[in-house]
Amino acid sequence: MATTAHEAQRTGEHRTLLTLLDRAADRFADRPALIDADHVLTWADARAVLADGSAPGDGPVAQTLAVLSDLARGEVFHFTDTSAPLPSRTDMVFAATRADGSVDAVCHASADAAHIGAAIALRERFTKDDRVVLAARVTDPGFWAVFAACMASGAALDLSGDMDRATTAWLIDRDAVAAYTPRPHLKRLHLDAGRDRLAEVAAAQPDTRIVNGLSLPETMGLALSSDPRDPTGTITTTKGRPVGGVEVMIVDPRTGMDVLLYQTGEVWLRGTGVFLGYAGKPGAGFTDRFFRTGILGHLDSEGRLVLPKAEEEVLLSGW
């Protein structure tokens, strides 16, 4: 059984991280854009810094702009070293470290981050008045999707870790997730955590919208996410529906045929935001353009992905 995301509103323009930054600088010029412990840049500042190559210092803001600078020059940014051939359209290469210690070079197109980020901003209703505290490294594909969501909406991206002034906290880094304590003032909270932890936090913050979803090294941030209209109990126990142009199919791994609702099978993904391939391994992991995740789950009657608790724990411990 397959399902595709349909957002209530769409825009048809071609997006890249650079076009999103240009658009944000035009629309939200004097609004806060990028914040770390040492700097607060407006969107106009960020575009000017990118244009003249004068990234401030060596903190998270400077690291973010340095990657954009390379992309603007048409270069491939490598977060992991590889000399293996790259799939077409690749301009960002990330490291996926497996539970056995092996590392795959995962190839993405930065334009997919722009697309997924814009879809997340739309689904979560980000606005220019939001301040999003992001705990993630620039080496994580999810970082770029959240940055794109901020650019699409004009929300400030705060990399300082200061949650007191935040409207939204997006915590991907394992240490930040483990250290999190309830902040009832938050409008939204994404924790890369299991259902029990999410339920505990939701009970402590009943007015905060909990954002759950499925993110892998092979996806540019959340390939699936919860819907603001879903009840809290559903949000904490499911991975939500596909984001943007992502399609999910549940397949019997023995036959390769898709299965019925509520039947467990392997989760297959394809579409914008799903990676282009592994460096030096053409076609590995794909069938009919679907990425075979190796994860088991099922779709409920509303098209939400449900993972067995044991599968969820495997993902959190290292996949």
Side-chain angles (χ1 to χ4, degrees), residues 218-295:
E218 289 84 0
T219 63
M220 191 61 91
L222 294 178
L224 296 90
S225 78
S226 49
D227 190 297
R229 296 166 294 184
D230 287 337
T232 300
T234 298
I235 288 173
T236 58
T237 56
T238 78
K239 296 298 184 181
R241 302 178 183 85
V243 171
V246 176
E247 184 179 0
V248 60
M249 184 163 66
I250 307 300
V251 175
D252 184 332
R254 297 166 300 178
T255 65
M257 303 293 291
D258 59 338
V259 301
L260 300 176
L261 289 175
Y262 293 102
Q263 288 188 339
T264 297
E266 185 179 13
V267 180
W268 288 16
L269 301 172
R270 74 176 175 188
T272 304
V274 178
F275 80 133
L276 303 170
Y278 300 111
K281 300 179 180 179
F286 285 89
T287 296
D288 294 332
R289 296 185 293 113
F290 275 95
F291 168 51
R292 306 185 305 272
T293 67
I295 300 166

Side-chain angles (χ1 to χ4, degrees), residues 132-238:
V132 181
V133 168
L134 173 60
R137 296 175 175 85
V138 295
T139 55
D140 190 311
F143 177 99
W144 298 98
V146 178
F147 181 30
C150 291
M151 289 191 285
S153 61
L157 181 67
D158 189 337
L159 304 174
S160 72
D162 179 8
M163 293 195 201
D164 291 341
R165 300 173 62 188
T167 64
T168 300
W170 208 276
L171 309 184
I172 300 172
D173 179 80
R174 295 293 170 84
D175 291 340
V177 171
Y180 179 77
T181 56
R183 306 295 207 289
H185 72 281
L186 292 173
K187 288 167 56 179
R188 305 175 200 84
L189 171 66
H190 170 67
L191 277 180
D192 190 9
R195 66 188 67 182
D196 293 340
R197 179 79 189 284
L198 292 177
E200 176 185 305
V201 171
Q205 299 179 215
D207 296 326
T208 300
R209 150 120 173 89
I210 304 298
V211 183
N212 196 6
L214 178 68
S215 178
L216 303 168
E218 289 84 0
T219 63
M220 191 61 91
L222 294 178
L224 296 90
S225 78
S226 49
D227 190 297
R229 296 166 294 184
D230 287 337
T232 300
T234 298
I235 288 173
T236 58
T237 56
T238 78

Side-chain angles (χ1 to χ4, degrees), residues 20-77:
L20 284 182
L21 179 57
D22 271 339
R23 186 167 176 264
D26 288 339
R27 296 179 63 205
F28 314 111
D30 297 326
R31 303 285 302 184
L34 286 167
I35 302 163
D36 63 18
D38 300 313
H39 301 93
V40 178
L41 299 184
T42 66
W43 290 111
D45 291 337
R47 179 165 63 182
V49 166
L50 187 62
D52 65 22
S54 59
D58 57 1
V61 167
Q63 293 170 18
T64 303
L65 293 174
V67 175
L68 288 184
S69 180
D70 278 7
L71 295 178
R73 291 194 296 269
E75 298 178 9
V76 177
F77 198 94

